[in-house]
Amino acid sequence: MAHLIQQPCLLQGEAWGDYGLIDSGNGRKIERYGSRRFIRPEPQAMWCPRERNWDADGEFIPGSDDDGGGRWHYNNRVPSGWNLEWNDVRFVAQCTPFRHLGFFPDMSPVWNWMRGQLADKPDASTLNLFGYTGVGSLALSECGPVTHVDASKKSVAQARENAELSGMEDRPIRWLIDDAGKFTAREVRRGNRYDGIILDPPKFGRGPKGETWRLEAGLPDLVKDCRTLLDEDSRFLFLTVYAVRMSSLALGGLLDEIFAGLPGTIEHGDLAMREEGEDGRLLPTAIFARWSRNGSPAGE
């Protein structure tokens, strides 16, 4: 049966050519996206910034309530979108109304980890739930066919554009506008299986037909269905959760219960990005839990 490692682990991202965490502190962070710099809120940056003055092209000013909201304030002219790349994947960055820039850079070590889990599995079939703009799906497509599911028509359209930008439009990727829970339940009834599943559920959301999603209520059943879509020959499930008052140990305990019948290892912990430069600090961004058949090398 799968073995739960109680001690939390850290999965940390490092800067790459088109992205870097420059500095953080006093509830904010400054990052570079290609040649442009942006400041965004970051409640977990409770320390003081290393640099006194931050020079940025724009800053997201949050709303006054806990439910989000806010607006971008620009110091320089910023285009509606510009191209970035991670390894072999090219994609569009853009300042969205939701404070992020069209992708999640702290997921970069996860993309590498998933590719490593599938390295010995030719033509692996994977499922990306809540797939957003498709950077993770394009990274996985190196390993075989991918099913990309997101409730947002706009996000799936952007994912298709990113595939064309990467020269990957002919790869075997199914781009589906669907409710993740309903789609996964149908896949269970169809008797389908996958070699790997990644899911990044929001705290709250709505499906394409007005379906309501609440994380604490919907996650257990969704993970149960994902478990049914995996078997002893499958390689991984990776679950990330942002912006909730929840411990990674709770996610690990959920996987420990549901994945009891499979071999392998269950781990949990924090995703974090390291600041650039000497003695760069680690900024936590999300919690995660993952099941892998073959376990994970130390530090990954």
Side-chain angles (χ1 to χ4, degrees):
M1 61 182 293
H3 170 63
L4 172 65
I5 298 178
Q6 297 279 359
Q7 186 69 25
C9 62
L10 177 66
L11 193 57
Q12 66 186 54
E14 304 286 346
W16 73 84
D18 273 351
Y19 173 81
L21 173 61
I22 299 169
D23 195 10
S24 63
N26 293 340
R28 301 189 303 163
K29 60 185 175 184
I30 180 169
E31 304 157 288
R32 60 174 179 83
Y33 292 82
S35 61
R36 297 173 177 85
R37 295 183 172 201
F38 296 95
I39 298 170
R40 296 192 290 157
E42 183 46 76
Q44 299 200 82
M46 294 184 285
W47 44 76
C48 294
R50 295 183 297 174
E51 300 177 6
R52 178 173 297 180
N53 297 312
W54 287 357
D55 181 19
D57 295 280
E59 179 174 2
F60 188 88
I61 309 299
S64 58
D65 55 56
D66 292 335
D67 293 328
R71 61 181 178 83
W72 285 96
H73 171 77
Y74 297 107
N75 300 316
N76 301 310
R77 184 176 180 180
V78 175
S80 58
W82 64 100
N83 297 343
L84 300 180
E85 63 180 55
W86 173 84
N87 285 357
D88 55 337
V89 179
R90 294 186 178 89
F91 52 93
V92 175
Q94 53 191 322
C95 296
T96 74
F98 311 105
R99 83 178 56 191
H100 50 76
L101 283 93
F103 75 106
F104 298 98
D106 55 333
M107 291 295 290
S108 57
V110 181
W111 303 330
N112 279 322
W113 180 83
M114 293 189 300
R115 283 180 166 183
Q117 293 296 313
L118 298 171
D120 65 339
K121 187 76 172 179
D123 205 28
S125 174
T126 54
L127 172 62
N128 187 0
L129 297 172
F130 310 95
Y132 194 38
T133 58
V135 180
S137 294
L138 295 174
L140 280 169
S141 70
E142 176 189 72
C143 307
V146 182
T147 299
H148 173 106
V149 181
D150 197 281
S152 167
K153 183 178 181 180
K154 183 177 180 180
S155 293
V156 174
Q158 184 61 64
R160 286 180 174 273
E161 182 179 333
N162 288 337
E164 293 179 7
L165 189 64
S166 299
M168 299 179 182
E169 63 269 30
D170 293 331
R171 289 192 174 178
I173 304 174
R174 291 198 296 163
W175 305 106
L176 303 179
I177 302 168
D178 206 340
D179 176 81
K182 288 186 175 180
F183 172 80
T184 307
R186 290 198 304 273
E187 288 290 88
V188 169
R189 292 194 295 270
R190 293 167 182 150
N192 288 335
R193 67 166 298 279
Y194 292 91
D195 293 301
I197 299 176
I198 178 173
L199 62 160
D200 180 21
K203 181 179 180 180
F204 175 82
R206 292 192 182 277
K209 296 182 179 179
E211 302 92 339
T212 300
W213 164 266
R214 296 186 185 278
L215 182 77
E216 291 83 356
L219 186 60
D221 285 342
L222 179 60
V223 173
K224 288 177 183 176
D225 282 344
C226 288
R227 159 64 185 90
T228 304
L229 298 176
L230 301 168
D231 57 29
E232 292 187 357
D233 292 325
S234 300
R235 292 299 191 266
F236 71 84
L237 176 137
F238 201 104
L239 164 65
T240 55
V241 173
Y242 288 82
V244 296
R245 297 179 179 91
M246 186 183 295
S247 166
S248 70
L249 186 59
L251 299 183
L254 177 64
L255 264 62
D256 184 41
E257 177 183 72
I258 295 174
F259 280 67
L262 289 181
T265 302
I266 295 168
E267 300 163 289
H268 67 93
D270 283 312
L271 290 182
M273 286 298 303
R274 183 180 294 280
E275 295 172 341
E276 295 182 299
E278 292 186 18
D279 302 320
R281 296 167 296 193
L282 284 170
L283 177 64
T285 58
I287 58 175
F288 75 89
R290 63 188 181 188
W291 165 81
S292 56
R293 196 188 78 160
N294 300 323
S296 304
E300 290 190 4

